[in-house]
Amino acid sequence: MPRLSDLLNESSEKNKLFDLVSEGKLKRAARNRKPSKHHKKRFPVSDFVALDFETTGLESKDDRIIEIGAVRFHNGSVQEEFSSLVNPCKPIPKAIVELTGITDADVKDAPLFEDVAHRLLTFLDTLPLCGHQVEFDIGFLNEELKRLGRPRISNQSIDTALISRIILPRLAGYSLGHVARSIEQVLESAHRALDDARASGMVAVELLSRLEELSPDVRQQMASFAPASLFKKILIQSVGKKRDLSSRTFSMLPKPPKRLAFPEEFVSLEIAEVQANFSIDGPLVSSMPGFSPRSSQTKMAEKVAEALNTESFLVAEAGTGTGKSLAYLLPAALFALKNDCRIFISTYTKNLQDQLVSKDIPQVGSLLGDGLKYTVLKGRSNYLCRNRFSKLLAGRLGNLSPRERSGVLPLIRWAEETVNGDIEEQSQFSRRSFSKIWNLISADSQQCRGRSCSMFSNCFLQNARQKALGSHLVVINHALFFSEICAEATFLGKIGPMIFDEAHHLQDSGYQHLRTEVDTNRINRYLELLTNLQKKIEKSQVPESFQKLGKTLKKTLKRLRKEASEAQSELDRWVTRQDEDQVQYQFAYRDEPFEKLSSVGSFEFALTEIQDVLGDLKQLCIQTIDEKGIKELESEVASAAERTSQFKADYAYLRAAVTEGHVFWIEGNHNRGWVKLCGVPLDIGEILGGVWAANECGLVFTSATLSVNGAFDHFLPKLGLVGELAERTFSEVFPTPFHASQALNISAVQAPEPDTQDYTVYLAEMIAQMHRKLRKNTLVLFTSHVMLRNVYSLLRAMPGIDKTNLLAQNITGNRHVILGEFKKMRGAILLGADSFWEGVDAPGEACEIVVIARLPFPVPTHPLVRAIGKKFESECGESFFSYSIPEAIVRFRQGAGRLIRSKMDRGALVVLDKRIVTKPYGKKFVRSLHGELQVVQNGEQLLQELETYFQTMYG
């Protein structure tokens, strides 16, 4: 049987690549191999080796291989296997032991790598290698060979992680386990070399055989763009005859609806009409299975309608189970249809945004008929720019590394299939890992050519905007509200009525999205932008006058790059002089503290020089007529000039730090050579108050947690609903329909103080004992990732803990992945921080215990928190009771709300931070709970009460 490498070198036999198939069905040579229903009989690789190593760490120069797994495949079936433990001659770190189960004792008598190297290389031969992120394994192998004085291997390779992102575009995650399960392949022991190698080989067998599911145009584009690799050759062979892509056009987007006009005068809703929809014999009961009238929901819907009718502001706290989405959506839809106008609905989280658009609004639409038009609108940077993406694929946006080219490949298929162009639709491309790429191809305003773009009429961003202008309900997020609606000018025109769900996040969103930042990464991206422009000018066929300015740009850019480096180094030294001896730092500054730092000032001056050169280039572009070379550069020169002006203004603002009512701070990491300057307005409420005052329509602010012990005094000033605006504002609590008896709230008096080292051990032991005694799905909420990681390590080492049922945020997976696994498991422990305090909906047995590890006070050391605290001190005389406690109570209520999600739920809220009992302010937290808090003396009694509660609950 010929090898793949042989076939790829025989042009006359290129069509044989997809004809190499085994006779009949693939025989199952690997244990637990399940035939996939998708598997086809066209498989392009005859012989290859799947390879995997377990190592002592991630750095090939310092770490060592501890286990080898290699599996030879022939015609899609396992032919032979090779495995061996390896003595690394160094201790195996605890984290690696926990991950793999391989201990120092296991490898003590294992052979050294030099003893197995020859057998391994003989097994690999010159065959192609495959694996999940196989370059990692090849890198380790070559480093080990280098230590032995042996030559590097040069086998061709193929990465199943990349292929899975292309062939399986809708997976929630792309770990080897996720991919294997998606094709019904069992991965027996994840993070053991032989099992991982076998699974990655099976993944390759399945997915490479499905390449022909992609359109020829997509494969051709991938083949042209992919870096030199085995996968590129497979793509080339799969296409056959080369296709001409130069005249290829994108599919036309659906025509958006007609724009809705802003009414001169709004027609009021009949409150009785709203009430009728929620009544026992109303349309909701008959059209929505499982719907039953709830008095809180009906009352809230009435108040929403009243706010829209009277152009007033409703602050509505809707307890868990109220059904607040329907309570505001139905009257909003009725009002929008009656007035043929838009109503914006703003959320904080993507999860709620998706729920509204995919479930809740369609339900309302089906109830009201076909007339209701709705859409979701996001910020510019969420949408793909088709024009710039085409330029990227054509190599006109600068040189990309092989890693970056591989990272772009999944986008080629997505760009062909998407009708919205919203990058959040897909999970194959990481904006965080490839931020440089996405900045090049997103519809960012500084790169947008507007109506002069050849693809303007078929643009994702413009299509989304036109849909928004023609829709009755437009779902946005708080970020877009601050960047678009709070701006001085917006394409949306008059805004009209708005509803803010998750309104407790509005102020924090303001701090996040009105913040100005200049950091090392932004500087590097800016310098790269200028470098690409300068190189394009250098290579372009343009007049001498333009080339002369290009040379001036090159010279000035060289100076700017030098000043940027020196400015960052000088800032780093300045931080050290402020007695900030920690590697990672963050502290406030004020009133031109960098005035005497010459390089910091020189960098700003160099920006002025760049600004002048770009201004001259821009003017020359405007003056030049019918010069093709210049016209091709015009938009990029204009974009660079605009970005320079913004960058210089931001830098000057942060350097001076004199703007009244603003907070400034510096943060960074000495070891990483990273530094960031930040500035933000302190009083977000004042900004929002101006927006509300200019809006003559009704507004609704809602969330499950807006009040503190029934009062809204803490919330209203955050949103600027004070002074004259208070006269238009009315607030109300719409209580949960759930009964307090559905949950046991419990805490113990005798426990270590939460700031001591003993507390982490106590916390881990209590969680472990609950797990052993009760075997209930338990969500543990942390305020610190450091504590979370420490508790996770302790739990893994404890007897009686099922490690496969122990999930931890950003350790065993991201939020989305581990939450999905948690809901499917029983007897699982999920350790979460940050986002797990809200938005987690795991009813029934999916979550029967919620543990609050610490009372969630704001981080007292953050410069912004300190500044807010000082503001409260000046206004109220102190900040702890007027700011820190109310903030913590709102967060505490969010965490407690994760427990009871339906009328059938039962469970226990366990507060292990004893301050809720021992401190005077603890009573404020207790009063915020739905139901009483049972207090016991110690952890042993707490466990007994929990055991009794669950035994009684289940009879």
Side-chain angles (χ1 to χ4, degrees):
M1 178 68 70
R3 292 176 179 167
L4 176 66
S5 53
D6 297 329
L7 283 174
L8 291 175
N9 291 326
E10 297 175 14
S11 58
S12 62
E13 295 192 63
K14 63 182 180 181
N15 291 326
K16 289 185 180 180
L17 183 63
F18 276 80
D19 292 331
L20 292 175
V21 293
S22 56
E23 294 292 332
K25 294 184 178 179
L26 290 176
K27 295 181 180 179
R28 183 179 171 187
R31 64 184 75 104
N32 291 322
R33 164 65 173 154
K34 292 184 178 180
S36 168
K37 60 184 177 183
H38 298 291
H39 190 70
K40 296 185 176 183
K41 291 185 180 181
R42 293 181 62 77
F43 177 56
V45 181
S46 56
D47 293 338
F48 69 93
V49 175
L51 181 68
D52 188 80
F53 297 136
E54 301 304 326
T55 63
T56 60
L58 302 178
E59 299 297 329
S60 60
K61 293 187 182 301
D62 300 319
D63 291 304
R64 297 292 186 272
I65 294 171
I66 58 175
E67 188 177 37
I68 298 169
V71 181
R72 182 177 291 175
F73 281 76
H74 175 67
N75 281 352
S77 297
V78 173
Q79 186 181 50
E80 190 178 355
E81 295 181 347
F82 175 91
S83 67
S84 176
L85 288 170
V86 177
N87 188 338
C89 297
K90 63 183 297 188
I92 301 175
K94 184 178 180 181
I96 300 300
V97 174
E98 292 173 353
L99 185 69
T100 64
I102 302 173
T103 65
D104 290 328
D106 293 328
V107 299
K108 179 182 178 183
D109 298 324
L112 301 176
F113 180 80
E114 60 189 78
D115 297 328
V116 296
H118 180 72
R119 285 191 294 140
L120 174 62
L121 294 176
T122 302
F123 188 86
L124 300 182
D125 196 14
T126 58
L127 293 172
L129 305 179
C130 99
H132 219 63
Q133 299 179 331
V134 70
E135 291 303 321
F136 171 87
D137 303 285
I138 292 174
F140 260 90
L141 176 56
N142 280 327
E143 199 63 39
E144 293 280 15
L145 293 174
K146 181 180 177 181
R147 294 186 190 102
L148 298 179
R150 303 186 67 156
R152 297 164 57 91
I153 65 166
S154 56
N155 301 47
Q156 296 183 92
S157 63
I158 191 159
D159 184 7
T160 52
L162 171 62
I163 302 171
S164 62
R165 283 177 161 82
I166 294 170
I167 304 297
L168 306 170
R170 293 171 183 84
L171 288 189
Y174 288 95
S175 68
L176 180 58
H178 272 87
V179 175
R181 284 194 295 272
S182 74
I183 62 169
E184 301 177 6
Q185 168 63 40
V186 175
L187 174 55
E188 290 180 341
S189 300
H191 303 296
R192 292 306 299 260
L194 186 60
D195 288 315
D196 282 355
R198 189 186 302 113
S200 65
M202 291 300 184
V203 167
V205 168
E206 174 66 26
L207 298 189
L208 285 175
S209 69
R210 292 168 59 179
L211 266 180
E212 285 189 316
E213 294 177 8
L214 306 181
S215 73
D217 282 347
V218 167
R219 277 182 278 140
Q220 172 67 56
Q221 193 73 76
M222 286 184 181
S224 299
F225 189 77
S229 62
L230 175 60
F231 186 49
K232 184 183 184 79
K233 292 181 179 180
I234 292 174
L235 285 166
I236 292 171
Q237 297 291 346
S238 77
V239 175
K241 185 178 179 181
K242 189 173 181 180
R243 306 169 66 85
D244 180 18
L245 297 176
S246 59
S247 60
R248 185 170 160 229
T249 58
F250 288 104
S251 58
M252 290 300 296
L253 301 178
K255 188 177 179 180
K258 182 181 177 181
R259 179 171 181 165
L260 300 180
F262 193 90
E264 293 184 9
E265 187 174 341
F266 287 102
V267 180
S268 295
L269 275 179
E270 293 293 335
I271 302 299
E273 180 185 0
V274 175
Q275 293 172 333
N277 281 282
F278 289 91
S279 65
I280 190 68
D281 54 354
L284 285 171
V285 173
S286 58
S287 65
M288 290 178 59
F291 177 84
S292 59
R294 284 163 275 185
S295 59
S296 288
Q297 184 182 51
T298 305
K299 186 70 179 296
M300 179 176 168
E302 294 170 10
K303 293 297 182 181
V304 170
E306 184 181 331
L308 296 174
N309 286 344
T310 61
E311 298 172 355
S312 53
F313 305 154
L314 169 65
V315 177
E317 178 175 286
T320 306
T322 302
K324 62 178 168 59
S325 297
L326 197 57
Y328 64 70
L329 284 176
L330 187 58
L334 289 169
F335 188 86
L337 284 170
K338 179 164 282 192
N339 290 279
D340 203 25
C341 70
R342 287 193 310 274
I343 293 183
F344 284 90
I345 300 166
S346 182
T347 74
Y348 178 70
T349 61
K350 180 180 181 293
N351 286 343
L352 179 56
Q353 193 176 61
D354 291 344
Q355 177 189 315
L356 292 176
V357 176
S358 63
K359 178 187 173 185
D360 297 342
I361 297 179
Q363 286 181 335
V364 172
S366 64
L367 184 73
L368 301 180
D370 297 332
L372 182 70
K373 296 185 283 289
Y374 59 91
T375 190
V376 61
L377 177 65
K378 299 183 179 180
R380 303 183 64 113
S381 61
N382 284 276
Y383 296 100
L384 176 73
C385 172
R386 283 177 153 177
N387 185 29
R388 296 191 64 77
F389 188 56
S390 297
K391 289 181 178 180
L392 180 85
L393 297 181
R396 294 167 57 192
L397 294 185
N399 295 324
L400 303 182
S401 68
R403 172 182 171 273
E404 289 170 331
R405 284 181 169 268
S406 294
V408 169
L409 291 181
L411 283 183
I412 295 175
R413 176 178 183 177
W414 172 73
E416 178 87 4
E417 297 174 351
T418 180
V419 295
N420 297 314
D422 177 5
I423 192 64
E424 290 186 350
E425 292 176 346
Q426 54 79 58
S427 59
Q428 322 94 286
F429 174 82
S430 170
R431 276 194 290 178
R432 179 177 296 179
S433 301
F434 297 101
S435 58
K436 168 192 164 184
I437 301 297
W438 186 246
N439 288 334
L440 288 172
I441 60 177
S442 72
D444 182 79
S445 60
Q446 291 176 322
Q447 302 291 342
C448 183
R449 298 179 61 190
R451 293 186 177 276
S452 63
C453 177
S454 60
M455 297 187 185
F456 181 81
S457 61
N458 203 27
C459 169
F460 289 124
L461 171 65
Q462 296 304 324
N463 189 264
R465 287 182 164 186
Q466 293 305 311
K467 284 171 68 176
L469 292 172
S471 296
H472 295 108
L473 299 182
V474 182
V475 180
I476 63 173
N477 60 22
H478 296 349
L480 183 60
F481 165 75
F482 279 104
S483 64
E484 189 68 49
I485 295 176
C486 280
E488 292 182 4
T490 171
F491 77 95
L492 293 167
K494 283 190 176 182
I495 301 305
M498 291 195 71
I499 296 171
F500 294 91
D501 203 340
E502 300 176 309
H504 62 287
H505 278 298
L506 259 178
Q507 185 188 57
D508 289 339
S509 293
Y511 284 130
Q512 181 180 352
H513 296 286
L514 298 180
R515 179 185 303 176
T516 300
E517 298 178 345
V518 170
D519 71 340
T520 304
N521 296 333
R522 182 179 174 186
I523 291 172
N524 290 341
R525 289 195 303 268
Y526 170 69
L527 292 173
E528 187 173 18
L529 170 79
L530 295 180
T531 302
N532 288 338
L533 175 61
Q534 180 268 315
K535 288 181 178 178
K536 284 184 181 180
I537 294 173
E538 198 171 54
K539 296 177 182 178
S540 298
Q541 299 297 318
V542 292
E544 180 63 29
S545 58
F546 208 90
Q547 282 289 358
K548 187 176 180 180
L549 281 174
K551 291 177 182 177
T552 304
L553 176 63
K554 183 177 183 179
K555 181 180 177 182
T556 311
L557 178 56
K558 183 179 179 180
R559 184 160 56 251
L560 179 68
R561 193 176 286 109
K562 175 176 175 290
E563 297 294 353
S565 176
E566 291 183 357
Q568 291 177 87
S569 297
E570 196 167 30
L571 281 172
D572 195 62
R573 292 192 296 272
W574 179 83
V575 167
T576 304
R577 292 197 297 272
Q578 311 308 307
D579 295 327
E580 292 290 332
D581 56 354
Q582 293 184 341
V583 171
Q584 198 158 316
Y585 56 86
Q586 182 186 68
F587 64 95
Y589 67 90
R590 184 78 201 177
D591 295 337
E592 300 182 345
F594 313 130
E595 207 170 9
K596 296 181 181 179
L597 305 184
S598 59
S599 294
V600 174
S602 298
F603 178 56
E604 187 175 343
F605 181 76
L607 284 170
T608 303
E609 290 184 316
I610 286 286
Q611 191 176 31
D612 292 341
V613 176
L614 291 171
D616 292 341
L617 283 167
K618 186 177 178 180
Q619 192 62 33
L620 190 56
C621 287
I622 295 171
Q623 293 172 352
T624 305
I625 302 174
D626 297 332
E627 182 63 50
K628 183 180 178 183
I630 291 180
K631 288 302 176 186
E632 288 180 350
L633 292 167
E634 185 175 4
S635 64
E636 296 193 37
V637 169
S639 172
E642 182 184 348
R643 183 161 291 190
T644 300
S645 296
Q646 186 63 59
F647 188 91
K648 182 189 171 188
D650 290 348
Y651 186 74
Y653 157 78
L654 293 169
R655 177 183 169 232
V658 294
T659 307
E660 191 67 30
H662 285 226
V663 184
F664 299 91
W665 69 92
I666 185 171
E667 59 187 60
N669 186 297
H670 290 299
N671 290 348
R672 290 171 52 199
W674 172 80
V675 63
K676 177 192 282 186
L677 301 177
C678 304
V680 69
L682 179 59
D683 195 343
I684 300 296
E686 184 179 358
I687 296 171
L688 291 174
V691 176
W692 314 145
N695 191 325
E696 299 177 353
C697 301
L699 300 172
V700 176
F701 306 92
T702 186
S703 168
T705 53
L706 296 179
S707 70
V708 176
N709 296 324
F712 294 87
D713 298 346
H714 181 67
F715 176 76
L716 297 177
K718 287 170 129 185
L719 267 61
L721 297 172
V722 294
E724 293 182 1
L725 294 180
E727 298 175 7
R728 293 175 62 187
T729 304
F730 60 102
S731 308
E732 190 162 342
V733 175
F734 301 96
T736 175
F738 303 151
H739 198 276
S741 62
Q742 290 181 244
L744 168 67
N745 304 318
I746 190 168
S747 186
V749 176
Q750 296 175 11
E753 290 292 336
D755 290 324
T756 64
Q757 190 171 4
D758 291 342
Y759 183 71
T760 302
V761 177
Y762 165 80
L763 189 58
E765 288 177 345
M766 288 298 297
I767 294 167
Q769 290 184 60
M770 277 186 264
H771 176 69
R772 296 188 199 106
K773 278 183 174 289
L774 305 171
R775 296 291 172 176
K776 304 292 183 185
N777 269 23
T778 303
L779 171 64
V780 188
L781 299 175
F782 291 83
T783 59
S784 160
H785 284 275
V786 173
M787 182 181 281
L788 186 155
R789 288 192 294 270
N790 290 339
V791 169
Y792 174 77
S793 296
L794 290 170
L795 285 172
R796 280 193 62 93
M798 289 181 176
I801 298 295
D802 184 352
K803 297 178 180 61
T804 61
N805 275 19
L806 180 58
L807 307 169
Q809 184 179 1
N810 298 332
I811 298 176
T812 61
N814 62 35
R815 181 186 192 276
H816 180 77
V817 170
I818 64 175
L819 183 56
E821 292 176 354
F822 181 65
K823 291 179 180 180
K824 296 174 185 175
M825 293 176 175
R826 292 297 173 263
I829 303 170
L830 193 160
L831 311 180
D834 302 333
S835 58
F836 279 90
W837 284 78
E838 55 186 294
V840 174
D841 189 14
E845 293 183 357
C847 182
E848 292 186 273
I849 301 175
V850 170
V851 176
I852 291 183
R854 289 190 59 156
L855 298 180
F857 288 103
V859 180
T861 57
H862 194 286
L864 182 56
V865 173
R866 285 184 174 180
I868 296 172
K870 288 181 180 179
K871 180 175 181 289
F872 273 86
E873 286 174 8
S874 65
E875 294 174 354
C876 308
E878 57 77 42
S879 62
F880 185 68
F881 288 96
S882 57
Y883 168 63
S884 297
I885 286 181
E887 287 287 311
I889 287 175
V890 170
R891 189 71 165 160
F892 178 76
R893 293 180 63 206
Q894 285 284 342
R898 299 313 95 212
L899 182 63
I900 304 301
R901 308 300 299 171
S902 74
K903 286 186 176 182
M904 302 301 295
D905 280 4
R906 301 291 185 274
L909 174 70
V910 182
V911 184
L912 292 180
D913 186 339
K914 71 176 185 179
R915 291 177 297 176
I916 196 172
V917 178
T918 61
K919 296 294 183 182
Y921 60 74
K923 295 177 182 178
K924 293 179 179 290
F925 288 88
V926 174
R927 285 199 296 270
S928 74
L929 288 171
H930 187 49
E932 300 296 323
L933 177 70
Q934 182 175 340
V935 180
V936 296
Q937 283 301 303
N938 52 46
E940 185 179 351
Q941 290 180 12
L942 189 149
L943 291 166
Q944 288 174 353
E945 291 295 330
L946 286 175
E947 193 169 23
T948 301
Y949 171 76
F950 282 108
Q951 285 175 351
T952 304
M953 190 176 77
Y954 290 107

